[in-house]
Amino acid sequence: MNASCNMATSAKASSFNGASLAQRRTVLRKAGVRRGVVQVRAGNTGAQKAEYIWYDGLEGQKDIFFNEMRSKTKVIQKPIPAGSTAFPMWSFDGSSTGQADGDDSDCLLRPVYSCPDPIRGEPHVLVLCEVLTPNGDPHPTNTRDRLANIIDKEITAEEPLYGFEQEYTMLGPDGRVFGWPEGGYPAPQGPFYCGVGNEAVYGRPLAEAHMDACIKAGIQLSGINAEVMPGQWEFQVGPVGPLELGDTVMVARWLLNRLGEDMGIVCTLDPKPVKGDWNGTGAHTNFSTKSMRNEGGAKAIDDACEKLSKTHDKHIAQYGIGNENRLTGLHETCDIGTFRSGVADRGASIRIPRQVEIEGKGYLEDRRPSANVDPYVVAYMLLETIFARA
């Protein structure tokens, strides 16, 4: 490596930690001056960049700064339309992601979903992949495969729909919640939920950029809002079917972390990133079937709540790591060891919206999943319990 390249790399590494976005751009400009002009020979300017995305299955098992999303770029000389799954299979070093041993480290990536890349623009794409073992079997971290296999004719006929409320907390480079004062805390909770104004809202530029990116990618986003704890936000995906729920939430999570790179913000899905009198971070999941949405659907909702009451412990075991720190019976949660359903009760395990009670049909809200829950697992568990597939 020549000296100019070494100097540029050194500047990037030493100046980016803890720097603001403006400072980072200044460092890049200075490094560019030292490097001089780089000449690139023209190749196929119509080539497509396909960002292959997967998850390593370790969400919640790493330091709070790290997430489970992984990706790398494949350059495709003849572009393939977004929305297709006919992208070539690929592989990666599973020993570097905790998904394989070093003496047999290749894991396979099979494309299952694609959409326009809202960051790079046309003709570039994001390609979500499921992970396979070298012999082509679903990898143990491949929770999508299990969900796909439970969807039989009866479940398909009932047209299950989900709405996923993904909460997350923004962190600055020093580990403090983004926007919180150095060496202290902001005002107590109250002014921040759906707030407006410099003192009430922290991190709106990233939340807005993420919303725009999801919309451009074709993800069925239904909204965003600032949450109860300052620096905590939520985006909602849905209504969508079970596989689309998992696929689009995973891509939306990748986009959130990718955009955070450019703004010097880490987004954590930790269920309780700040101890004390602060709300935790969840992923409330709204669920309905055709029977629930039709006239007289209240009975199907009541039947579902009865079934869910009998499998509470099984759901809790798969609803996210560290969820016991969030489900304490305080801060709009039900105690982790208790199951309770109720109308308009945000302290219940399952909430039935008031409008659903009035109309006698609609959906239920499972308030137990933590923010770091696997969306494929939530979708699977609700189908398994409500359709008695256990």
Side-chain angles (χ1 to χ4, degrees):
M1 182 180 291
N2 62 41
S4 62
C5 287
N6 275 324
M7 184 163 54
T9 303
S10 176
K12 185 174 180 181
S14 62
S15 301
F16 274 27
N17 292 331
S20 68
L21 181 59
Q23 289 172 321
R24 292 182 178 200
R25 287 172 174 164
T26 299
V27 171
L28 283 175
R29 284 196 297 269
K30 290 179 179 179
V33 170
R34 290 196 296 269
R35 280 199 303 263
V37 178
V38 177
Q39 293 184 345
V40 179
R41 292 182 181 275
N44 179 7
T45 56
Q48 179 186 55
K49 300 171 189 173
E51 193 71 16
Y52 277 50
I53 300 168
W54 73 98
Y55 55 99
D56 63 25
L58 295 175
E59 187 66 61
Q61 300 177 56
K62 307 177 186 179
D63 182 271
I64 194 171
F65 272 96
F66 297 98
N67 60 80
E68 70 173 337
M69 304 311 301
R70 306 277 184 158
S71 72
K72 60 179 182 173
T73 307
K74 176 181 280 292
V75 176
I76 298 174
Q77 297 303 321
K78 293 182 179 180
I80 299 170
S84 172
T85 56
F87 291 86
M89 288 187 65
W90 207 5
S91 63
F92 68 93
D93 174 14
S95 68
S96 295
T97 64
Q99 291 170 288
D101 295 325
D103 58 354
D104 188 15
S105 65
D106 283 358
C107 292
L108 305 179
L109 293 174
R110 179 164 65 191
V112 294
Y113 172 90
S114 70
C115 62
D117 186 335
I119 298 174
R120 289 170 170 158
E122 294 184 356
H124 312 300
V125 291
L126 304 179
V127 181
L128 182 70
C129 302
E130 62 178 353
V131 178
L132 306 178
T133 62
N135 61 6
D137 294 329
H139 191 274
T141 61
N142 183 352
T143 50
R144 187 186 194 276
D145 181 76
R146 182 176 68 155
L147 173 60
N149 287 329
I150 200 177
I151 302 173
D152 57 21
K153 289 183 179 179
E154 181 189 359
I155 291 175
T156 300
E158 274 291 321
E159 300 173 7
L161 291 175
Y162 299 79
F164 195 80
E165 303 173 20
Q166 178 68 74
E167 294 180 345
Y168 60 95
T169 305
M170 299 185 188
L171 302 176
D174 59 359
R176 288 183 297 114
V177 177
F178 186 78
W180 282 31
E182 187 174 354
Y185 295 90
Q189 293 183 158
F192 307 106
Y193 173 69
C194 295
V196 179
N198 190 55
E199 292 300 317
V201 176
Y202 310 152
R204 189 184 295 277
L206 175 55
E208 292 276 349
H210 178 251
M211 175 172 62
D212 290 344
C214 287
I215 292 171
K216 290 177 181 177
I219 293 171
Q220 186 145 325
L221 208 70
S222 51
I224 68 169
N225 60 269
E227 267 300 334
V228 176
M229 186 178 79
Q232 184 187 70
W233 283 80
E234 172 184 299
F235 65 88
Q236 302 101 30
V237 173
V240 292
L243 287 172
E244 188 178 357
L245 171 76
D247 294 344
T248 54
V249 167
M250 286 301 190
V251 172
R253 285 179 176 180
W254 182 89
L255 281 168
L256 182 65
N257 287 291
R258 171 61 186 84
L259 291 168
E261 291 179 19
D262 295 340
M263 299 188 182
I265 297 173
V266 170
C267 292
T268 179
L269 304 183
D270 189 286
K272 189 72 173 180
V274 183
K275 309 303 180 187
D277 194 19
W278 303 97
N279 272 33
T281 316
H284 302 153
T285 303
N286 303 292
F287 176 82
S288 70
T289 61
K290 186 164 62 175
S291 295
M292 294 178 185
R293 298 188 295 269
N294 287 344
E295 293 299 325
K299 182 180 185 308
I301 294 173
D302 289 342
D303 289 346
C305 289
E306 177 64 22
K307 291 176 181 177
L308 290 167
S309 71
K310 297 175 180 178
T311 58
H312 176 65
D313 291 343
K314 187 175 182 180
H315 281 251
I316 288 297
Q318 299 190 56
Y319 270 9
I321 295 174
N323 211 9
E324 69 279 1
N325 298 319
R326 167 181 162 264
L327 297 181
T328 61
L330 303 174
H331 306 112
E332 303 182 51
T333 69
C334 190
D335 179 82
I336 195 168
T338 303
F339 179 91
R340 187 174 80 246
S341 61
V343 175
D345 184 358
R346 282 180 163 75
S349 310
I350 305 293
R351 180 180 73 95
I352 311 301
R354 179 68 66 188
Q355 193 64 27
V356 171
E357 181 195 42
I358 293 170
E359 296 180 2
K361 61 181 179 180
Y363 66 95
L364 59 83
E365 178 190 47
D366 191 343
R367 297 180 60 83
R368 297 171 295 175
S370 66
N372 61 17
V373 74
D374 182 329
Y376 296 111
V377 169
V378 175
Y380 176 88
M381 294 298 296
L382 288 170
L383 293 179
E384 181 188 59
T385 295
I386 293 171
F387 286 91
R389 292 295 186 270

